[in-house]
Amino acid sequence: MDSKFRFVILAAKRAKQILKGAKPRIKTKSKNPIRIAQNELRVGAVDYEIVQQKKDEALEPEDQVFIHEELAGGVEEPEEEFRDIADEEEEAEEETEEEEQEEGEEEQ
């Protein structure tokens, strides 16, 4: 195997095949589909082909760039109202103080 990445991808694909009902190609004690797939790859029981991408199919660098403005295309984000918790607490304290002052005035 030429890379660990390829090994992981192939083992995952083979494990999916086993989960869907494909029969294991080797005898093993393991019942775990991923272990079976890994063992199959190690002994060479799984055939695979590396498909090279054609040059005319390759994207040009400018085609690969993600541009937020193009995707947004005039979409306006909704404005959200944010409140500061500290401001709300101050307002509550002021209201409480005003109520206490009013009660104190009524008692006199």
Side-chain angles (χ1 to χ4, degrees), residues 20-91:
K20 290 180 180 179
K23 296 195 184 247
R25 296 180 180 171
I26 61 171
K27 290 188 177 186
T28 180
K29 294 178 182 178
S30 179
K31 300 291 182 195
N32 186 339
I34 192 67
R35 296 282 182 216
I36 296 169
Q38 289 173 345
N39 290 335
E40 288 179 348
L41 284 168
R42 284 190 188 105
V43 298
V46 176
D47 295 325
Y48 65 93
E49 180 182 345
I50 300 172
V51 180
Q52 297 295 326
Q53 185 177 21
K54 296 178 183 175
K55 288 186 179 183
D56 57 330
E57 291 178 358
L59 295 177
E60 296 296 323
E62 62 269 5
D63 293 340
Q64 296 177 355
V65 177
F66 172 74
I67 301 175
H68 175 69
E69 291 80 21
E70 286 182 10
L71 294 177
V75 175
E76 296 180 21
E77 295 182 19
E79 293 182 23
E80 295 182 14
E81 183 179 317
F82 294 100
R83 291 187 223 166
D84 189 6
I85 294 174
D87 290 340
E88 290 179 3
E89 290 175 354
E90 287 177 14
E91 290 174 8

Side-chain angles (χ1 to χ4, degrees), residues 6-17:
R6 188 175 321 277
F7 178 80
V8 169
I9 298 299
L10 289 172
K13 288 184 179 189
R14 180 63 184 143
K16 285 180 185 177
Q17 291 173 351

